[in-house]
Amino acid sequence: MARKTFGLFLSLLCAVLLSLTVSCTTPAGRTTGQVVDDAGITTQVKADLLADKEVSGLAVSVETFKGEVVLTGAVDTPAQRKKAEQIASKVHGVTRVKNLIKLK
């Protein structure tokens, strides 16, 4: 009987902990999954910028919030600025790109 009660208690405890984990949000009201998605988008955009020979990925900073990517930094030409925006917009999960890159 004690073993059955302990098993029931353990199951209930797991259910409560799972529901708390799933319902956790940041102060901005975002779930853990949304934060992880934004981090993944940022990483992918930065990797794609670094892989591109035309755009200096080291000169461009990337931040993502709720799928919106913000590009900052400085590049040499307007073509590099536009290319950086195009690269960011092609990444899965990006909803909007705000291009704040300046020309040197």
Side-chain angles (χ1 to χ4, degrees):
M1 182 69 177
R3 184 173 246 188
K4 191 173 186 180
T5 305
F6 180 73
L8 183 60
F9 171 75
L10 195 56
S11 297
L12 182 60
L13 180 62
C14 287
V16 168
L17 289 175
L18 181 62
S19 67
L20 288 174
T21 303
V22 171
S23 65
C24 286
T25 59
T26 66
R30 297 172 356 126
T31 66
T32 305
Q34 289 170 322
V35 172
V36 170
D37 289 346
D38 283 346
I41 290 170
T42 297
T43 301
Q44 187 62 53
V45 170
K46 190 64 177 177
D48 291 353
L49 289 171
L50 289 169
D52 188 82
K53 293 178 183 175
E54 186 179 339
V55 179
S56 176
L58 295 175
V60 178
S61 295
V62 181
E63 293 185 26
T64 308
F65 185 75
K66 293 186 178 181
E68 181 178 310
V69 174
V70 178
L71 303 174
T72 56
V75 294
D76 295 323
T77 67
Q80 289 175 323
R81 185 178 189 275
K82 183 173 182 155
K83 179 74 174 194
E85 185 174 343
Q86 290 171 344
I87 289 170
S89 66
K90 290 180 182 176
V91 171
H92 177 72
V94 173
T95 57
R96 181 174 174 227
V97 178
K98 190 172 186 180
N99 192 343
L100 301 178
I101 299 172
K102 297 185 189 285
L103 297 176
K104 291 181 185 176

